Amino acid sequence: MLQTETKPKHYQKVIRADRWARRLITFGGYGIIASIVAILLFLAYQSLPLAKNAAIKTLFTFPASQGPSKALLTGIDPFQEIFYILDEAGHVQFYQTAGTKPLSEAQLPLSGNEKILAAAKGSLSSELFAAGTDSGRIITAEVRFQLDYSESGRAVIPSLSVKEIWKIPAAGKAASSNAASSDTLPDHVEKLAFSQNEDGSRFYAWVDHQGALWVRSYDAEEEVDYLHPLSQYLGESSVTALTISNHGENLVAAAANGIMRWFDLKDLEKAALRDEWSISNGPASALSYLLGDQAVAIGTAAGAVEVWFPVRTPSNLMKFRQIHSFRSHSAAVAQIYHSSRNRDFLTIDAEGAAQLHYSTTGKTEVQFPRPEFSIAAGAFAPKSDGILLVDAQKRFTLFRLDNPHPESTVKALFGKVWYEGYPGPEFVWQSTGGSDEFESKLSLIPLIFGTLKGTLYALLFSVPIALLAAIYVSQFAPFRLSRIVKPTVEIMAALPSVVIGFLAGLYFSPLFEQYLMSTFVFLILLPLIFLAGVAAWRAVPESYRMKIRPGFEVLFIIPVILIALQASASLGHPVENFLFRGNFQQWLYTTWGITYETRNSFVVGFALGFAVIPIIFTVSEDALSNVPKSLTSASLALGASRWQTVRRVVIPAASGGIFAAIMLGLGRAVGETMIVLMATGNTPIIDFNPFNGFRAMSACIAVEIPEAPVGGTLYRVLFLTALLLFVFTFVLNTLSSLVGERLRKKYARF
Amino acid sequence: MEMLQKDMEKMAETAHPEIPVEFSALAGERIVIETTELDFYYSAESHALKKVNIRIPYRKVTAFIGPSGCGKSTLLRCFNRMNDLIPGSFLEGKVLIEGEDIYKNGIRLEELRKKVGMVFQKSNPFPMSVWENVAFGPRVNGITNKSELEEMVESSLKQADLWKEVKDRLQASALDLSGGQQQRLCIARTLANKPDIILMDEPASALDPISTGKIEETINELKEEYTIVIVTHNMQQAGRISDYTAFMMLGEMVEFDTTKKIFTNPREKMTEDYITGRFG
Ligand SMILES: Nc1ncnc2c1ncn2[C@@H]1O[C@H](COP(=O)(O)OP(=O)(O)OP(=O)(O)O)[C@@H](O)[C@H]1O
Ligand SMILES: [Mg+2]
């Protein structure tokens, strides 16, 4: 009091400094909270678009243009500036999305009043199509969009070029028993499917006016044609729909009696029937292979929409199975178009209603607004960011399709999905494949499982060691020893995890594989020899035993370890010979079907343990040493042995800290990246078996984020993974402080 | 144990012909603790007890008094070997309890400490329930029978004059008791072990007068059955509760006599000065 009066200046200074310090600390505290929230928000912001549903927006509607001819086929350029329409008279009209009247026009070389009956696109990368006419000709042509940079800016100039004109084999050549009446009709192409592969080889499948099914394979390299009549496989029923896979290797044909047939066209010289099955919701009225050439979208006369793909049977045959069914149409499905970017496909029914579906997830994403006139044809924009629909009056509507992440539904991320080529629904993580047509498999379950598996093995290894060490150092070790051990363990914590991962992956895992049996023998032998040693120690006369300074008994473990090491090294081989017929890995595989991976969970558990042990040790050692001496003294003075004191007094009193230590270790193991990255094979499998690896969330992010296109689905799913990790550690930490607090309240009020 | 018993009887019979002059007051008492030329070092430089000779009589209250830092606590802790916990400390000379050298090889510390209980200056109940605190000693000594434990807990709490206050809250945390109750709980905890000797290091120094009174009452009752050694700074307390008093100074045993003699007519000038408050 007196001082403040005599030295007011000094006092004010103190107050001011105090205030500033308080502000700084408050600022720092809020800063940390703010940055954590910011990280959380950023992660959420990056991953939130995954949850967005597909949305369409009508960009413009082009009024009906002249001419009574029916529209058959349509397409649009990648910039969505020019689109075209092919009608049954062979007119190809080009329109500008910005303008109001036709831009230009081209004509397919048709003769007289020859009419196009069927048209089909045949390439994923260009606007190549084939058109079959009522006089039995098939014209292959391509629409090109050329970019022209003039002073007025960029312009897209469309053009049409005819590639090939040929005539189908004359009717009557096909085996047909009652062809009497149809013989009088000219040859014509009733149905047509077409595809050109990357070598330029072309595949045509068509049905002629007699109902005969044909395939023509044109080998571009050898410049040879192969013609395959397929009617002998068909039976009585007529073909209702056809589709050829995008690379021309497969043909699927639907018959009016509901029978579906799958032909293999891989060998250009023949076409072989591979599978035959029937569908139940009425005969297929439209078919389309989807991107990836595995799945076939089937639309039926009853309006059902299904996806089927071949699945390997136990007898090693590929059989088509129904995988998904989608929201039905109220009328027969007339057309199916597929995206060339992803597993989207568009179904259009006879009444003109259109729907957009995503094959992998089995989800119907969009129902298009019902037009005034029925839709005749549709097309995906090349980047799958737009859909063009044309009605019978040649009225166009262009929709912008906003569906950047169709493959990431909650079910796909966290549930089992039946992917193409898999025998059943599974949790699979396989984000990228060999080609753009790869079906990405983004189940987070294998990653979460991997993280938990790694953590589990790490904790199994490190918790006992770290806790026992902490108990020893804090309660039993002589000061001279603990003075060395503590800083050593702290140095261990400073060891970069890259180094640990490197050593584990490149040095330790082959070593472990080499001495696998010896390691196991060691793990069994060590406690046995230890117990034997203790028994022997008991037999030593007390007068000798007393000479050992308390706390130094631990040195006794050194000869035990040495003996166990020596014994297990020499016993490894005999044990392997005796129990496992000389080769443990072989035995493991033949008896349990377990494959041994060099970089397996044992190794990771061991290596991760190195990262986790220092944390658990340091924190729990602190907690144990902070148990007041008065409590230990009280216990000892009551005649409790040192171990009883530790067990009944010290550990309960330190339980809060020990719990927190384990949780911190858990958090570290969950978040650890480099070690799991380098010491596991990173195979995203779900298997508890310690002899194979796993892929942890953290390692997966590290491996895949550099490859993931910014803003793409994988990119966002990786952010979601990061968010999950964040939430996971957040929950762990909160849990640890909550439980720790309760334990402290209960046991540690001293 | 049996051997100890016999030794004790023998000792009582022979009545110590070599008792030094200072211990003449103990004539006729049975000696339970005896030290000869006891030197204790916290480290080579810190010589805390110097050639201490003392005798503690059977079922009497013996008080240690002396200025702060003179080694009373140290001496007390030599009796149950709690000093062993201090790294670097060592001891020379002998401590006999009922005739047995407790520092010789082969002594089981747990047995010794069960027999020689200790109550600390600051109450230190375990962070457990009242019941568990009292049952701690019997449990670590291998008693698991629930009803036996119940009985021990009850009788110990009764002996420590705490039963009435806590019988309804045996499962409550011991830390919720008042300071005085906590100290009596610590006494009860020690009693539950059925010790022969109870060492008390300033058991009431942190307590208010009423709690102190209660503790003193308890001690008075306990001396019927236990040999009690108590360290105190409170002269009145020493006068009230002890039968014998030892005055220590700078690690040396200065004077030992009946409490009455020490307080009325001490032999040494130093003792008189300390008791009359001329220093301390
Ligand atoms: N753990 C220890 N380590 C080193 N020196 C100690 C330790 N405990 C006590 N001492 C020293 O030993 C001497 C005797 O201490 P002791 O605690 O026995 O005194 P005391 O008579 O009990 O004093 P008080 O009345 O203050 O409790 C003192 O000089 C003290 O500094
Ligand atoms: Mg003291």
Side-chain angles (χ1 to χ4, degrees):
Chain A
M1 264 320 199
L2 219 76
Q3 274 209 342
T4 51
E5 278 163 40
T6 49
K7 286 186 183 173
K9 255 205 180 135
H10 171 74
Y11 184 64
Q12 268 178 8
K13 231 160 111 186
V14 169
I15 286 192
R16 216 176 302 134
D18 209 50
R19 198 182 303 140
W20 274 108
R22 199 167 52 232
R23 277 183 198 155
L24 203 68
I25 290 166
T26 315
F27 177 77
Y30 281 120
I32 288 171
I33 294 175
S35 56
I36 287 177
V37 171
I39 291 172
L40 192 69
L41 286 181
F42 178 70
L43 292 178
Y45 169 76
Q46 287 293 348
S47 42
L48 218 57
L50 288 174
K52 231 167 81 179
N53 281 328
I56 49 163
K57 191 180 157 210
T58 311
L59 281 185
F60 82 105
T61 306
F62 203 89
S65 65
Q66 80 283 25
S69 300
K70 202 180 123 199
L72 288 176
L73 200 95
T74 183
I76 189 163
D77 83 304
F79 301 103
Q80 298 188 20
E81 285 178 14
I82 307 277
F83 55 91
Y84 72 91
I85 181 174
L86 167 72
D87 64 18
E88 57 186 357
H91 285 301
V92 177
Q93 289 166 309
F94 297 99
Y95 300 86
Q96 217 164 8
T97 54
T100 49
K101 53 185 199 308
L103 185 73
S104 59
E105 215 175 284
Q107 173 71 40
L108 285 181
L110 298 186
S111 58
N113 48 10
E114 191 179 4
K115 259 173 76 178
I116 297 174
L117 295 180
K121 289 199 201 176
S123 167
L124 290 173
S125 52
S126 64
E127 292 294 325
L128 184 74
F129 63 85
T133 71
D134 57 1
S135 52
R137 292 198 307 161
I138 293 180
I139 302 168
T140 311
E142 184 182 354
V143 170
R144 287 230 178 102
F145 300 103
Q146 248 153 346
L147 282 177
D148 181 59
Y149 294 94
S150 60
E151 69 268 20
S152 59
R154 191 193 62 195
V156 181
I157 306 202
S159 64
L160 177 76
S161 62
V162 174
K163 301 280 177 195
E164 188 187 24
I165 302 175
W166 54 281
K167 195 157 175 5
I168 61 169
K173 268 192 187 172
S176 176
S177 50
N178 55 349
S181 59
S182 47
D183 261 349
T184 57
L185 282 168
D187 301 324
H188 65 230
V189 179
E190 291 271 6
K191 299 209 169 346
L192 178 64
F194 164 59
S195 165
Q196 174 176 304
N197 72 11
E198 46 284 357
D199 307 330
S201 297
R202 298 193 195 110
F203 302 85
Y204 300 86
W206 69 95
V207 176
D208 66 21
H209 69 283
Q210 288 184 327
L213 174 62
W214 292 81
V215 166
R216 173 189 169 220
S217 307
Y218 167 72
D219 186 338
E221 240 166 83
E222 312 272 329
E223 296 190 15
V224 211
D225 262 316
Y226 301 98
L227 205 58
H228 310 294
L230 296 177
S231 289
Q232 72 267 27
Y233 298 110
L234 288 182
E236 292 302 300
S237 202
S238 62
V239 173
T240 54
L242 285 175
T243 179
I244 292 186
S245 63
N246 298 300
H247 298 282
E249 294 176 346
N250 303 283
L251 163 70
V252 169
N257 56 3
I259 305 280
M260 310 285 298
R261 290 183 183 83
W262 170 29
F263 297 95
D264 190 343
L265 310 181
K266 210 169 293 160
D267 184 351
L268 299 176
E269 294 176 34
K270 59 178 196 251
L273 180 69
R274 280 198 72 177
D275 188 20
E276 215 176 72
W277 74 98
S278 68
I279 55 173
S280 47
N281 290 316
S285 48
L287 288 178
S288 174
Y289 257 101
L290 301 182
L291 190 71
D293 286 5
Q294 291 265 327
V296 176
I298 300 176
T300 72
V305 180
E306 295 164 1
V307 161
W308 292 60
F309 54 71
V311 172
R312 195 172 292 282
T313 62
S315 50
N316 212 19
L317 284 171
M318 297 302 277
K319 286 261 176 210
F320 263 88
R321 289 200 44 179
Q322 184 185 345
I323 309 300
H324 303 292
S325 70
F326 300 83
R327 193 189 291 149
S328 317
H329 284 270
S330 53
V333 178
Q335 257 104 33
I336 302 181
Y337 301 97
H338 73 270
S339 155
S340 54
R341 283 296 174 102
N342 54 34
R343 258 69 177 170
D344 263 334
F345 64 97
L346 184 69
T347 53
I348 298 170
D349 69 25
E351 289 174 351
Q355 293 185 346
L356 182 71
H357 318 270
Y358 197 77
S359 161
T360 306
T361 57
K363 193 172 153 192
T364 299
E365 302 185 292
V366 176
Q367 269 187 304
F368 286 80
R370 206 165 250 280
E372 287 158 50
F373 297 89
S374 71
I375 309 280
F380 278 90
K383 290 178 187 157
S384 269
D385 50 356
I387 285 177
L388 187 65
L389 296 179
V390 185
D391 70 18
Q393 307 311 121
K394 295 191 191 168
R395 199 190 323 244
F396 292 86
T397 308
L398 179 62
F399 297 94
R400 189 171 68 206
L401 175 61
D402 186 16
N403 189 22
H405 312 296
E407 59 272 68
S408 68
T409 57
V410 172
K411 186 171 176 293
L413 291 174
F414 298 101
K416 285 188 173 180
V417 174
W418 198 334
Y419 295 105
E420 292 166 14
Y422 279 72
E426 274 174 44
F427 297 115
V428 187
W429 173 274
Q430 198 183 354
S431 56
T432 44
S435 75
D436 294 341
E437 299 177 23
F438 177 76
E439 185 179 34
S440 47
K441 303 163 184 70
L442 300 174
S443 173
L444 295 180
I445 301 296
L447 306 183
I448 295 172
F449 177 88
T451 291
L452 294 181
K453 181 179 176 186
T455 307
L456 177 76
Y457 281 100
L459 291 188
L460 278 182
F461 171 70
S462 56
V463 167
I465 291 184
L467 286 189
L468 289 175
I471 289 170
Y472 173 73
V473 167
S474 67
Q475 304 298 317
F476 297 99
F479 181 63
R480 269 187 289 164
L481 204 66
S482 58
R483 208 177 45 186
I484 301 168
V485 172
K486 281 206 265 181
T488 311
V489 175
E490 269 149 34
I491 287 175
M492 204 169 131
L495 213 62
S497 55
V498 183
V499 176
I500 301 177
F502 180 77
L503 284 177
L506 277 94
Y507 178 72
F508 180 69
S509 54
L511 204 68
F512 177 70
E513 188 172 9
Q514 193 181 344
Y515 293 106
L516 193 60
M517 254 313 111
S518 299
T519 313
F520 290 142
V521 173
F522 179 75
L523 289 179
I524 295 168
L525 227 48
L526 183 66
L528 290 182
I529 294 184
F530 182 79
L531 290 180
V534 170
W537 178 243
R538 284 263 165 89
V540 172
E542 202 151 350
S543 50
Y544 287 100
R545 271 199 271 159
M546 282 300 172
K547 292 216 171 99
I548 301 271
R549 293 272 302 280
F552 279 100
E553 302 93 338
V554 72
L555 298 179
F556 158 80
I557 196 96
I558 293 173
V560 168
I561 290 177
L562 288 180
I563 294 170
L565 267 181
Q566 177 58 42
S568 51
S570 51
L571 276 176
H573 268 295
V575 167
E576 194 164 5
N577 283 334
F578 181 68
L579 286 180
F580 306 111
R581 281 175 252 122
N583 189 337
F584 176 68
Q585 276 139 268
Q586 188 71 40
W587 177 85
L588 207 59
Y589 185 72
T590 48
T591 326
W592 299 102
I594 292 171
T595 41
Y596 182 92
E597 284 178 30
T598 306
R599 297 181 187 178
N600 55 48
S601 308
F602 264 125
V603 177
V604 184
F606 180 76
L608 257 185
F610 268 87
V612 173
I613 284 174
I615 293 178
I616 301 186
F617 173 84
T618 314
V619 177
S620 54
E621 202 273 338
D622 255 12
L624 288 163
S625 320
N626 281 337
V627 173
K629 284 281 166 288
S630 66
L631 289 185
T632 358
S633 302
S635 168
L636 291 172
L638 284 169
S641 67
R642 286 203 296 169
W643 174 239
Q644 281 174 323
T645 302
V646 168
R647 202 162 54 88
R648 290 172 183 255
V649 177
V650 179
I651 292 180
S655 54
I658 292 175
F659 182 81
I662 294 176
M663 283 296 143
L664 281 177
L666 192 68
R668 173 75 205 267
V670 165
E672 175 54 51
T673 309
M674 282 323 285
I675 295 178
V676 282
L677 185 65
M678 299 178 82
T680 64
N682 281 313
T683 37
I685 48 171
I686 300 186
D687 189 348
F688 269 110
N689 162 18
F691 296 109
N692 52 34
F694 55 85
R695 175 179 286 209
M697 301 202 264
S698 54
C700 188
I701 296 172
V703 172
E704 305 208 3
I705 204 91
E707 315 265 309
V710 176
T713 305
L714 175 60
Y715 180 84
R716 299 209 187 281
V717 168
L718 290 174
F719 268 96
L720 180 68
T721 312
L723 184 67
L724 276 183
L725 259 182
F726 189 94
V727 169
F728 206 59
T729 34
F730 191 78
V731 167
L732 273 184
N733 281 336
T734 312
L735 201 73
S736 98
S737 33
L738 283 182
V739 177
E741 191 58 33
R742 289 198 60 166
L743 288 173
R744 255 192 296 282
K745 272 211 183 111
K746 183 145 181 239
Y747 292 116
R749 289 191 293 155
F750 24 73
Chain B
M1 271 330 247
E2 259 174 44
M3 237 179 62
L4 281 176
Q5 209 70 35
K6 249 190 262 160
D7 281 352
M8 261 169 37
E9 277 158 22
K10 211 165 64 198
M11 268 165 59
E13 274 163 26
T14 49
H16 300 278
E18 77 285 4
I19 282 184
V21 212
E22 312 97 88
F23 292 106
S24 52
L26 283 174
E29 296 281 7
R30 180 170 135 193
I31 304 302
V32 180
I33 305 176
E34 177 175 2
T35 71
T36 42
E37 306 283 290
L38 180 65
D39 280 283
F40 185 84
Y41 302 82
Y42 279 105
S43 62
E45 304 88 51
S46 166
H47 194 176
L49 294 178
K50 294 167 188 159
K51 302 267 175 278
V52 170
N53 291 301
I54 192 162
R55 317 262 154 109
I56 307 291
Y58 181 67
R59 291 198 176 168
K60 290 280 163 8
V61 177
T62 306
F64 288 176
I65 59 170
S68 187
C70 69
K72 308 177 295 288
S73 300
T74 308
L75 180 58
L76 206 63
R77 287 199 298 263
C78 284
F79 298 158
N80 65 347
R81 291 187 59 172
M82 285 301 276
N83 281 332
D84 289 20
L85 300 175
I86 297 160
S89 67
F90 59 97
L91 170 143
E92 284 163 7
K94 279 204 166 120
V95 180
L96 305 181
I97 291 188
E98 299 189 330
E100 191 173 19
D101 182 357
I102 60 164
Y103 280 89
K104 79 174 184 209
N105 283 340
I107 285 290
R108 297 212 28 166
L109 286 182
E110 292 85 40
E111 291 274 319
L112 171 72
R113 289 174 184 157
K114 187 175 171 273
K115 225 173 67 170
V116 185
M118 186 167 213
V119 177
F120 297 81
Q121 175 174 8
K122 247 187 80 191
S123 64
N124 50 1
F126 299 122
M128 311 167 185
S129 71
V130 171
W131 193 92
E132 283 172 316
N133 261 278
V134 184
F136 186 90
R139 275 171 153 184
V140 298
N141 289 302
I143 295 172
T144 49
N145 184 320
K146 182 90 177 163
S147 60
E148 200 176 339
L149 285 173
E150 298 283 3
E151 220 170 89
M152 284 173 134
V153 168
E154 183 174 340
S155 73
S156 308
L157 284 171
K158 277 180 176 157
Q159 277 184 298
D161 271 341
L162 193 61
W163 177 250
K164 276 195 211 112
E165 291 156 68
V166 300
K167 67 169 187 283
D168 298 325
R169 45 198 287 212
L170 289 176
Q171 295 312 322
S173 171
L175 302 172
D176 292 339
L177 300 181
S178 77
Q181 287 171 330
Q182 289 190 8
Q183 191 60 300
R184 275 180 285 143
L185 179 67
C186 291
I187 296 177
R189 187 171 69 180
T190 308
L191 294 176
N193 258 350
K194 300 205 177 357
D196 299 333
I197 302 164
I198 302 174
L199 310 173
M200 297 186 175
D201 193 349
E202 303 182 45
S205 68
L207 302 178
D208 63 293
I210 292 176
S211 299
T212 306
K214 282 200 168 172
I215 300 255
E216 286 178 12
E217 250 170 63
T218 309
I219 293 173
N220 264 325
E221 281 161 28
L222 291 177
K223 78 175 163 196
E224 307 291 321
E225 289 175 60
Y226 302 93
T227 302
I228 294 173
V229 186
I230 182 167
V231 173
T232 179
H233 275 284
N234 184 329
M235 294 306 125
Q236 286 78 25
Q237 189 174 60
R240 279 196 298 270
I241 60 175
S242 70
D243 304 303
Y244 294 91
T245 299
F247 173 61
M248 291 180 72
M249 180 108 170
L250 299 172
E252 287 180 76
M253 178 63 61
V254 176
E255 187 170 353
F256 179 94
D257 219 318
T258 60
T259 302
K260 203 172 153 203
K261 181 90 190 306
I262 293 270
F263 278 84
T264 51
N265 184 18
R267 193 185 56 212
E268 302 284 331
K269 175 84 171 61
M270 254 192 288
T271 316
E272 189 178 351
D273 286 352
Y274 178 73
I275 285 166
T276 51
R278 247 162 269 167
F279 72 91

